[in-house]
Amino acid sequence: MTARGLIIGAAASGSGKTVFTLGLLRALHRRGCALASAKVGPDYIDPAFHAAASHHPCLNLDLWAMRPAHLATQVTALAANADVIICEGVMGLFDGADTGAAGITGSTADVAAHTGWPVVLLVDLRRQAASAAALINGFRRHRSDIDVAGVVFNQVAGAAHRAMVERACAAHCPDLPLLGWLPRDPALALPERHLGLVQAGEIAALDQRLDQVATRIDENVDIDRLIALAQPSSLSARTVAEPPLPPLGQRIAVARDDAFAFAYPAVLDGWRRAGAEISFFSPLDDQPPAGDADAVYLPGGYPELHAARLAAAGTFLAGLRRAAGQKKWIYGECGGYMTLGRALEDGDGMMHAMAGLLPVTTSFAKRRLHLGYRQGRLAIDTPFGRCDSLFRGHEFHYASILQATDGQPLFHAADAQGRGLGEVGHVDGTVIGSFLHLIDRMTTD
């Protein structure tokens, strides 16, 4: 099956990319389209909404954090059973990591150039009208290696507003397809919290809301013309022999619920391809990791919103401590790292005892944003690699460290420019963790 892809980009964050992409996915699903979706960049929350809208898994595409061969594998997986791939961009079209020099930043434009997929530009018309034509032309001409193939306008105030924009586009970019006009409608917005949208699984009547958005797009966007712009990827089909991260064990117990939802499908699928068996358990339901598992993975998520419930989950915590006592590898990322610590202070300033397996106490009451791509060089030997093995990932949280005992760190960290950030994370025997979300190893295929 030769799948054709299309990227939904925007001039800036907050333009409505996610809601538009979700409505488009649901509208195509209702038509019976063989569909796949992707999200540019390091994002856990939006892909869950994609999956809810399309009823198919969503994969991340990240040119900064992924080896090119890994990204090609992701594109191959998307195309395996699809006619159309809809890829949602990140931030503004040309926004990405600050690498300190020209080159790959992981921007939506970089992914468009690498895959060969055209871009449909979503333009937010709040506070502008005829000026939109100048903005569109600037985006079309900024890079010759990408194709801005069409435009959809969002936040249209009414008929007069639309007419002004149409006249400007007819005069200054007459060859660009104007694919649709979405009116201002606060009812279409999705609820948000500190790391982005409230998780898909937490929103009541989500299906009805997605259908509402899909109907609005059906009424206001020429979907057939939009999909006709899609093109096959220029990447060759490829499967990477080695997974993004080596398996943590042969039988890996993975925490999965509203407190631990941030696990990349590519990592879990890579472990399966490498022969590992994966089981899931819910700490919020006070479930322990499977007794026959030889490793435990606590992904990131929102433990800070469920700290009291986790502290009371005696069976879960005892299961973690038992696994640690049996010298099984236990790995915690971000929220998982916080849970492996001694205590977690919630947003109200209440302290809750956690697993006590790592010598760190964290706080969500004393908030400070930590955001950006990260490079992590292992400071010890782990199942992920030998000491000095290099990985790429990202950091995105508001938690701070209240107390930490000096000891063995997990990584020597650096930002996207390679500037050192010092030692991060903790190690205690076979229990390891840090605030970094790992995406891929940086080895040569």
Side-chain angles (χ1 to χ4, degrees), residues 113-427:
H114 196 72
T115 60
W117 291 336
V119 174
V120 168
L121 191 68
L122 187 69
V123 176
D124 185 342
L125 287 180
R126 287 175 294 185
R127 305 180 186 89
Q128 66 175 323
S131 295
L135 180 149
I136 292 165
N137 275 332
F139 271 71
R140 294 177 75 190
R141 296 168 182 164
H142 188 67
R143 280 181 59 168
S144 61
D145 58 347
I146 67 169
D147 176 21
V148 176
V151 62
V152 174
F153 294 99
N154 196 17
Q155 302 286 350
V156 182
H161 191 195
R162 172 175 173 170
M164 292 175 66
V165 178
E166 283 181 328
R167 287 194 293 270
C169 289
H172 299 289
C173 42
D175 60 327
L176 183 68
L178 307 185
L179 301 169
W181 307 77
L182 295 174
R184 294 179 185 173
D185 187 350
L188 299 182
L190 293 169
E192 299 185 18
R193 62 160 63 111
H194 56 282
L195 296 183
L197 296 175
V198 172
Q199 294 183 94
E202 299 179 57
I203 297 178
L206 178 60
D207 260 347
Q208 291 91 320
R209 298 186 72 161
L210 293 172
D211 281 332
Q212 181 184 6
V213 178
T215 297
R216 186 59 59 90
I217 288 175
D218 263 328
E219 294 169 345
N220 293 279
V221 176
D222 189 340
I223 295 178
D224 291 334
R225 193 178 182 198
L226 184 151
I227 295 302
L229 298 174
Q231 295 293 328
S233 174
S234 56
L235 296 176
S236 300
R238 183 169 182 181
T239 299
V240 177
E242 42 177 47
L245 305 180
L248 195 59
Q250 179 59 42
R251 293 181 299 279
I252 309 169
V254 179
R256 173 174 282 183
D257 55 29
D258 287 343
F260 302 96
F262 297 170
Y264 284 117
V267 170
L268 301 184
D269 290 344
W271 288 348
R272 291 188 185 99
R273 288 201 318 270
E277 301 172 16
I278 294 176
S279 62
F280 296 100
F281 67 100
S282 170
L284 289 180
D285 288 340
D286 200 15
Q287 297 173 356
D292 64 351
D294 55 14
V296 181
Y297 173 35
L298 299 183
Y302 289 101
E304 64 270 22
L305 302 182
H306 306 277
R309 191 170 165 187
L310 290 171
T315 303
F316 157 62
L317 294 173
L320 281 184
R321 294 168 187 145
R322 184 166 52 251
Q326 294 169 344
K327 304 300 181 184
K328 298 178 180 181
W329 283 99
I330 303 175
Y331 170 54
E333 269 186 348
C334 199
Y337 170 55
M338 296 162 68
T339 305
L340 291 173
R342 291 171 176 163
L344 194 167
E345 184 181 25
D346 67 20
D348 296 323
M350 297 292 294
M351 195 68 73
H352 304 275
M354 293 288 108
L357 297 176
L358 290 177
V360 61
T361 298
T362 55
S363 172
F364 186 62
K366 298 172 177 60
R367 302 188 192 187
R368 185 168 74 87
L369 176 62
H370 301 78
L371 173 65
Y373 279 121
R374 298 289 184 259
Q375 302 178 64
R377 188 178 296 278
L378 280 173
I380 62 162
D381 292 347
T382 75
F384 294 147
R386 302 295 298 271
C387 181
D388 288 331
S389 297
L390 186 63
F391 298 84
R392 283 190 174 184
H394 69 104
E395 188 174 5
F396 184 18
H397 63 92
Y398 286 87
S400 58
I401 293 177
L402 290 183
Q403 296 178 336
T405 301
D406 289 340
Q408 175 65 57
L410 182 57
F411 292 110
H412 304 288
D415 65 12
Q417 293 188 32
R419 296 176 299 198
L421 300 175
E423 297 174 336
V424 299
H426 286 84
V427 175

